[in-house]
Coordinates of all heavy atoms in Angstrom, one line a residue:
Chain A
N218 N 119.3 -129.8 -103.0 CA 118.6 -130.5 -102.0 C 119.4 -130.7 -100.7 O 119.1 -131.5 -99.9 CB 118.1 -131.9 -102.5 CG 116.6 -131.8 -102.6 OD1 115.9 -131.0 -102.0 ND2 116.1 -132.7 -103.5
V219 N 120.5 -129.9 -100.6 CA 121.4 -130.1 -99.5 C 120.8 -129.5 -98.2 O 120.5 -128.3 -98.2 CB 122.8 -129.5 -99.7 CG1 123.7 -129.7 -98.6 CG2 123.4 -130.1 -101.0
W220 N 120.5 -130.3 -97.2 CA 120.0 -129.8 -96.0 C 121.0 -129.1 -95.2 O 122.2 -129.6 -95.1 CB 119.4 -131.0 -95.2 CG 118.2 -131.6 -95.8 CD1 117.5 -131.2 -96.9 CD2 117.6 -132.9 -95.5 NE1 116.5 -132.1 -97.2 CE2 116.6 -133.1 -96.4 CE3 117.9 -133.8 -94.5 CZ2 115.8 -134.2 -96.3 CZ3 117.1 -134.9 -94.4 CH2 116.0 -135.1 -95.3
I222 N 123.2 -127.8 -91.8 CA 123.8 -128.5 -90.7 C 123.2 -127.9 -89.4 O 123.1 -126.7 -89.3 CB 125.3 -128.4 -90.7 CG1 125.9 -129.1 -91.9 CG2 125.9 -129.0 -89.4 CD1 127.4 -129.1 -92.0
A238 N 126.6 -132.6 -78.5 CA 126.7 -134.1 -78.7 C 127.2 -134.3 -80.1 O 127.9 -135.3 -80.4 CB 125.3 -134.7 -78.6
S240 N 126.5 -133.1 -84.7 CA 125.8 -132.4 -85.6 C 125.0 -133.3 -86.5 O 125.2 -134.5 -86.5 CB 126.7 -131.4 -86.4 OG 127.6 -132.2 -87.1
L241 N 124.1 -132.7 -87.3 CA 123.4 -133.5 -88.3 C 122.8 -132.6 -89.4 O 122.9 -131.4 -89.2 CB 122.2 -134.3 -87.6 CG 121.3 -133.6 -86.7 CD1 120.3 -132.7 -87.4 CD2 120.5 -134.6 -85.8
H242 N 122.3 -133.2 -90.4 CA 121.6 -132.4 -91.5 C 120.1 -132.6 -91.3 O 119.6 -133.7 -91.0 CB 122.0 -133.0 -92.8 CG 123.4 -132.7 -93.2 ND1 123.7 -131.6 -94.0 CD2 124.5 -133.3 -92.9 CE1 125.0 -131.6 -94.2 NE2 125.6 -132.6 -93.6
P244 N 116.1 -130.6 -92.9 CA 115.5 -129.5 -93.6 C 115.0 -128.4 -92.8 O 114.9 -127.3 -93.2 CB 114.5 -130.2 -94.5 CG 114.1 -131.4 -93.7 CD 115.4 -131.9 -93.0
D245 N 114.5 -128.8 -91.6 CA 113.9 -127.8 -90.7 C 114.1 -128.2 -89.2 O 114.6 -129.3 -88.9 CB 112.4 -127.5 -91.0 CG 111.6 -128.8 -90.9 OD1 112.0 -129.6 -90.0 OD2 110.6 -128.9 -91.6
M248 N 112.4 -131.5 -88.0 CA 113.1 -132.7 -88.4 C 114.4 -132.8 -87.7 O 114.9 -133.9 -87.4 CB 113.3 -132.6 -89.9 CG 112.0 -132.9 -90.7 SD 111.6 -134.7 -90.7 CE 112.8 -135.4 -91.8
D255 N 116.8 -139.6 -82.8 CA 117.1 -140.9 -83.3 C 118.6 -141.2 -83.3 O 119.1 -142.3 -83.1 CB 116.6 -141.1 -84.7 CG 115.1 -141.1 -84.7 OD1 114.5 -141.3 -83.7 OD2 114.5 -141.0 -85.8
L256 N 119.4 -140.1 -83.5 CA 120.8 -140.2 -83.7 C 121.6 -140.2 -82.4 O 122.5 -140.9 -82.2 CB 121.3 -139.2 -84.7 CG 122.7 -139.3 -85.2 CD1 123.0 -140.7 -85.8 CD2 123.1 -138.2 -86.2
Y257 N 121.2 -139.3 -81.5 CA 122.0 -139.1 -80.3 C 121.4 -139.6 -79.0 O 122.0 -139.5 -77.9 CB 122.4 -137.6 -80.2 CG 123.3 -137.2 -81.3 CD1 122.9 -136.4 -82.3 CD2 124.6 -137.6 -81.3 CE1 123.8 -136.0 -83.3 CE2 125.5 -137.3 -82.3 CZ 125.1 -136.5 -83.3 OH 125.9 -136.1 -84.3
R259 N 119.6 -142.9 -78.6 CA 119.0 -144.2 -78.8 C 119.0 -145.0 -77.5 O 118.4 -146.1 -77.4 CB 119.7 -145.0 -79.9 CG 119.4 -144.5 -81.3 CD 119.9 -145.5 -82.3 NE 121.3 -145.8 -82.3 CZ 122.2 -145.0 -82.8 NH1 121.9 -143.8 -83.3 NH2 123.5 -145.3 -82.7
R260 N 119.8 -144.6 -76.5 CA 119.9 -145.4 -75.3 C 119.7 -144.5 -74.0 O 120.5 -144.5 -73.1 CB 121.4 -146.0 -75.2 CG 121.6 -147.1 -76.2 CD 123.0 -147.5 -76.2 NE 123.2 -148.7 -77.1 CZ 123.3 -148.6 -78.4 NH1 123.2 -147.4 -79.0 NH2 123.6 -149.7 -79.1
E262 N 120.1 -141.4 -73.5 CA 121.2 -140.5 -73.2 C 120.7 -139.1 -72.9 O 121.5 -138.2 -72.5 CB 122.1 -140.3 -74.4 CG 123.0 -141.6 -74.6 CD 122.5 -142.4 -75.7 OE1 121.2 -142.4 -75.9 OE2 123.3 -143.2 -76.3
S276 N 131.7 -117.8 -83.3 CA 132.8 -118.5 -82.4 C 134.0 -117.6 -82.5 O 134.2 -116.8 -83.4 CB 133.0 -119.9 -82.9 OG 134.1 -120.0 -83.7
S277 N 134.8 -117.8 -81.4 CA 136.1 -117.0 -81.4 C 137.0 -117.5 -82.4 O 136.9 -118.7 -82.9 CB 136.7 -117.1 -80.0 OG 136.9 -118.5 -79.7
D278 N 138.0 -116.7 -82.8 CA 138.9 -117.0 -83.9 C 140.0 -117.9 -83.3 O 140.7 -117.5 -82.4 CB 139.5 -115.7 -84.4 CG 140.5 -116.0 -85.5 OD1 140.8 -117.2 -85.8 OD2 141.0 -115.0 -86.1
P279 N 140.2 -119.1 -83.8 CA 141.2 -120.0 -83.2 C 142.6 -119.5 -83.4 O 143.5 -119.8 -82.6 CB 141.1 -121.3 -84.0 CG 140.4 -120.9 -85.3 CD 139.5 -119.8 -85.0
D280 N 142.9 -118.5 -84.3 CA 144.2 -118.0 -84.5 C 144.6 -117.0 -83.5 O 145.7 -116.6 -83.4 CB 144.3 -117.4 -85.9 CG 144.4 -118.5 -87.0 OD1 144.7 -119.6 -86.6 OD2 144.1 -118.2 -88.2
K282 N 144.2 -117.1 -80.2 CA 144.1 -117.7 -78.9 C 144.6 -116.8 -77.8 O 144.0 -116.5 -76.8 CB 144.8 -119.0 -78.8 CG 144.1 -120.1 -79.6 CD 145.0 -121.4 -79.6 CE 144.4 -122.4 -80.5 NZ 144.6 -122.2 -81.9
Chain B
R44 N 151.8 -117.0 -91.5 CA 150.7 -117.7 -90.9 C 151.0 -119.2 -90.9 O 150.7 -120.0 -90.0 CB 149.4 -117.4 -91.6 CG 148.2 -118.1 -91.0 CD 146.9 -117.6 -91.6 NE 145.7 -118.1 -90.9 CZ 145.1 -119.2 -91.2 NH1 145.5 -119.9 -92.2 NH2 144.0 -119.6 -90.5
Y51 N 152.6 -124.2 -84.0 CA 151.6 -124.6 -83.1 C 151.1 -126.0 -83.2 O 151.0 -126.7 -82.2 CB 150.4 -123.6 -83.3 CG 149.3 -123.8 -82.2 CD1 149.5 -123.3 -80.9 CD2 148.1 -124.5 -82.5 CE1 148.6 -123.5 -79.9 CE2 147.2 -124.7 -81.5 CZ 147.4 -124.2 -80.2 OH 146.5 -124.4 -79.2
R65 N 139.0 -125.7 -86.8 CA 139.4 -124.5 -87.3 C 140.8 -124.1 -87.1 O 141.3 -123.1 -87.4 CB 138.5 -123.4 -86.8 CG 137.0 -123.5 -87.3 CD 136.1 -122.5 -86.7 NE 136.4 -121.2 -87.1 CZ 136.3 -120.1 -86.4 NH1 135.8 -120.2 -85.1 NH2 136.6 -118.9 -86.8
D66 N 141.6 -125.0 -86.4 CA 143.0 -124.9 -86.3 C 143.7 -125.0 -87.6 O 143.3 -125.7 -88.5 CB 143.6 -125.9 -85.3 CG 143.2 -125.7 -83.9 OD1 142.9 -124.6 -83.5 OD2 143.1 -126.7 -83.1
Q115 N 120.6 -150.2 -87.0 CA 120.4 -148.8 -86.8 C 121.6 -148.1 -86.2 O 121.9 -147.0 -86.6 CB 119.2 -148.6 -85.9 CG 118.7 -147.2 -85.8 CD 117.7 -147.0 -84.7 OE1 117.5 -147.8 -83.8 NE2 117.0 -145.8 -84.8
D116 N 122.3 -148.8 -85.3 CA 123.5 -148.3 -84.8 C 124.6 -148.0 -85.9 O 125.2 -147.0 -85.9 CB 124.1 -149.3 -83.8 CG 123.6 -149.1 -82.3 OD1 122.8 -148.2 -82.1 OD2 124.0 -149.9 -81.5
G119 N 123.9 -144.9 -87.5 CA 124.2 -143.8 -86.6 C 125.7 -143.6 -86.6 O 126.2 -142.5 -86.7
L122 N 126.8 -141.8 -89.6 CA 126.4 -140.3 -89.5 C 127.4 -139.6 -88.6 O 127.8 -138.4 -88.9 CB 125.0 -140.1 -89.1 CG 124.0 -140.6 -90.2 CD1 122.5 -140.4 -89.7 CD2 124.1 -139.9 -91.5
Y123 N 127.8 -140.2 -87.5 CA 128.7 -139.5 -86.6 C 130.0 -139.2 -87.4 O 130.6 -138.1 -87.2 CB 129.2 -140.4 -85.4 CG 128.1 -140.9 -84.5 CD1 128.3 -142.1 -83.7 CD2 126.9 -140.3 -84.3 CE1 127.4 -142.6 -82.9 CE2 125.9 -140.8 -83.4 CZ 126.2 -142.0 -82.7 OH 125.2 -142.5 -81.9
S126 N 129.8 -136.5 -90.0 CA 129.8 -135.2 -89.3 C 131.2 -134.8 -89.0 O 131.6 -133.7 -89.2 CB 129.0 -135.3 -88.0 OG 127.7 -135.4 -88.3
E129 N 133.0 -133.9 -92.1 CA 132.5 -132.6 -92.7 C 133.2 -131.4 -92.0 O 133.4 -130.3 -92.7 CB 131.0 -132.4 -92.4 CG 130.2 -133.1 -93.4 CD 128.7 -132.8 -93.4 OE1 128.1 -132.9 -92.3 OE2 128.1 -132.2 -94.4
R135 N 128.8 -133.6 -96.9 CA 128.4 -135.0 -96.8 C 127.9 -135.5 -98.2 O 128.2 -136.7 -98.5 CB 127.4 -135.2 -95.7 CG 127.0 -136.7 -95.5 CD 126.0 -136.8 -94.4 NE 124.7 -136.5 -94.9 CZ 123.6 -136.4 -94.1 NH1 123.7 -136.6 -92.8 NH2 122.4 -136.0 -94.6
D136 N 127.2 -134.7 -98.9 CA 126.6 -135.2 -100.1 C 127.7 -135.6 -101.1 O 127.6 -136.5 -101.9 CB 125.7 -134.1 -100.7 CG 124.5 -133.9 -99.9 OD1 124.6 -133.8 -98.7 OD2 123.4 -133.9 -100.5
R195 N 131.9 -142.4 -78.9 CA 130.5 -142.7 -79.0 C 130.3 -144.1 -79.7 O 129.5 -145.0 -79.2 CB 129.8 -141.7 -79.8 CG 128.4 -141.5 -79.7 CD 127.9 -140.2 -80.4 NE 128.0 -139.0 -79.6 CZ 127.1 -138.7 -78.6 NH1 126.1 -139.5 -78.4 NH2 127.2 -137.7 -77.9
E199 N 128.9 -148.0 -78.1 CA 127.7 -148.7 -78.6 C 128.1 -150.1 -79.2 O 127.3 -151.0 -79.3 CB 127.0 -147.9 -79.7 CG 126.5 -146.6 -79.1 CD 125.8 -145.7 -80.1 OE1 125.8 -146.0 -81.3 OE2 125.3 -144.7 -79.6
F202 N 128.0 -153.9 -77.4 CA 126.8 -154.8 -77.5 C 126.8 -155.6 -78.7 O 126.4 -156.8 -78.8 CB 125.5 -154.0 -77.3 CG 124.5 -154.0 -78.4 CD1 123.8 -155.2 -78.7 CD2 124.1 -152.9 -79.1 CE1 122.8 -155.2 -79.7 CE2 123.2 -152.9 -80.1 CZ 122.5 -154.1 -80.4
R338 N 113.5 -137.1 -99.3 CA 114.4 -135.9 -99.1 C 113.7 -134.7 -99.8 O 113.6 -133.6 -99.2 CB 115.8 -136.2 -99.7 CG 116.6 -137.2 -99.0 CD 118.0 -137.3 -99.5 NE 118.2 -137.6 -100.9 CZ 118.2 -138.9 -101.3 NH1 118.1 -139.9 -100.5 NH2 118.3 -139.2 -102.6
E339 N 113.1 -135.0 -101.0 CA 112.4 -133.9 -101.7 C 111.2 -133.4 -100.9 O 111.0 -132.2 -100.8 CB 112.1 -134.3 -103.1 CG 113.2 -134.4 -104.0 CD 113.0 -135.3 -105.2 OE1 111.8 -135.6 -105.5 OE2 114.0 -135.6 -105.9
A341 N 110.6 -133.6 -97.7 CA 111.0 -132.9 -96.5 C 111.5 -131.5 -96.8 O 111.2 -130.5 -96.1 CB 112.1 -133.7 -95.7
A342 N 112.2 -131.4 -97.9 CA 112.7 -130.0 -98.3 C 111.6 -129.1 -98.7 O 111.5 -128.0 -98.3 CB 113.8 -130.2 -99.4
Y344 N 108.4 -129.3 -97.7 CA 107.7 -129.0 -96.6 C 108.3 -127.9 -95.8 O 107.7 -126.9 -95.3 CB 107.5 -130.3 -95.7 CG 106.7 -130.0 -94.4 CD1 105.3 -129.9 -94.5 CD2 107.3 -129.9 -93.2 CE1 104.5 -129.7 -93.4 CE2 106.5 -129.6 -92.1 CZ 105.1 -129.5 -92.2 OH 104.4 -129.3 -91.0
A345 N 109.7 -128.0 -95.6 CA 110.4 -127.0 -94.8 C 110.3 -125.7 -95.5 O 110.1 -124.6 -94.9 CB 111.9 -127.4 -94.7

Side-chain angles (χ1 to χ4, degrees):
Chain A
N218 250 338
V219 181
W220 295 347
I222 297 180
S240 59
L241 51 76
H242 288 262
D245 59 29
M248 284 288 284
D255 293 346
L256 191 54
Y257 293 106
R259 286 196 301 282
R260 288 174 176 78
E262 289 98 334
S276 100
S277 58
D278 180 357
D280 288 340
K282 287 175 189 77
Chain B
R44 186 172 184 266
Y51 186 75
R65 294 177 65 214
D66 288 336
Q115 191 190 14
D116 274 355
L122 293 179
Y123 304 153
S126 291
E129 279 192 302
R135 188 179 72 187
D136 290 50
R195 203 171 271 282
E199 300 182 352
F202 122 66
R338 296 190 296 276
E339 283 159 18
Y344 181 77

